[in-house]
């Protein structure tokens, strides 16, 4: 089925622009949730428990917003694509290290991942300024939450 069965309130040009923003955000959030879960399973060290639990909070946040982004796309008549191949080929989240990692290595990797994602989201806030304020509001909300998480992860490096 090529044509969307869902009508969109947006013009074709705005729908294409907003669709690209939502799709890119979707794959970034899926990748963030997977990277955080990978870290959750592999973190070791004296602060294991607190980092382990904080990673679960990050996974929950990423998964919540993944669903909101996908449902926003669907509401606009844009088919979201969260397939593993699509995520692997298009995510902007830095590759997360493999194997066991000390908690300070995990914290540094999470800080870097969040910084990269925040930078991408801030540009998407600008991109949606004229095309769809509702989607822009969602991008602002996600950015706000990720910036708060970024602060909390950075605080562990002080």
């Amino acid at each position: 089925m090529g044509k969307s069965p869902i009508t969109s309130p947006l013009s074709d040009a705005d729908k294409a622009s907003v669709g690209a923003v939502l799709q890119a955000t979707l794959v970034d959030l899926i990748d963030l949730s997977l990277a955080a879960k990978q870290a959750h399973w592999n973190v070791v060290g004296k602060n294991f428990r607190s980092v382990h639990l904080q990673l679960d909070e990050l996974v929950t946040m990423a998964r919540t917003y993944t669903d909101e982004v996908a449902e926003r796309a669907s509401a606009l008549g844009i088919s979201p694509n969260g397939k593993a191949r699509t995520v692997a080929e298009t995510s902007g989240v830095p590759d997360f290290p493999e194997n066991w990692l000390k908690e300070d290595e995990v914290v540094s990797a999470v800080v870097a991942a969040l910084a990269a994602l925040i930078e991408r989201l801030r540009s998407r806030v600008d991109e949606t300024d004229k095309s769809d304020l509702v989607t822009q509001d969602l991008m602002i909300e996600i950015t706000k939450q990720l910036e708060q998480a970024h602060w909390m992860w950075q605080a562990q490096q002080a």
Side-chain angles (χ1 to χ4, degrees):
M1 172 182 270
K3 186 173 190 252
S4 175
I6 309 301
T7 59
S8 179
L10 304 179
S11 69
D12 288 344
D14 286 347
K15 181 178 171 184
S17 172
V18 170
V21 164
L22 289 167
Q23 180 60 39
T25 304
L26 178 70
V27 299
D28 284 352
L29 289 170
I30 292 170
D31 200 13
L32 177 64
S33 72
L34 295 171
K37 201 45 125 166
Q38 174 70 20
H40 172 85
W41 297 322
N42 285 285
V43 65
V44 294
K46 64 183 188 296
N47 293 316
F48 159 80
R49 182 161 172 74
S50 63
V51 173
H52 183 77
L53 294 173
Q54 191 174 8
L55 285 162
D56 263 346
E57 292 171 1
L58 185 58
V59 169
T60 298
M61 179 194 320
R63 288 180 177 169
T64 297
Y65 285 119
T66 295
D67 198 47
E68 288 192 31
V69 167
E71 289 181 358
R72 178 69 188 148
S74 293
L76 294 174
I78 301 160
S79 176
N81 181 345
K83 297 186 302 184
R85 176 176 287 134
T86 303
V87 173
E89 292 173 353
T90 62
S91 174
V93 175
D95 191 33
F96 207 86
E98 295 181 19
N99 298 315
W100 303 109
L101 295 170
K102 296 287 280 181
E103 71 275 327
D104 59 333
E105 295 170 302
V106 168
V107 170
S108 292
V110 169
V111 166
L114 288 171
L117 186 49
I118 289 165
E119 182 178 336
R120 291 168 61 87
L121 279 163
R122 281 190 160 269
S123 72
R124 293 173 192 154
V125 168
D126 291 339
E127 289 175 47
T128 53
D129 184 48
K130 300 283 188 268
S131 54
D132 184 27
L133 295 178
V134 177
T135 297
Q136 183 188 49
D137 186 55
L138 179 57
M139 294 299 111
I140 291 169
E141 179 183 342
I142 295 167
T143 303
K144 175 186 168 201
Q145 293 302 317
L146 290 177
E147 286 178 348
Q148 183 178 36
H150 188 236
W151 154 57
M152 291 184 178
W153 284 95
Q154 286 182 89
Q156 294 183 60
Q157 294 176 313

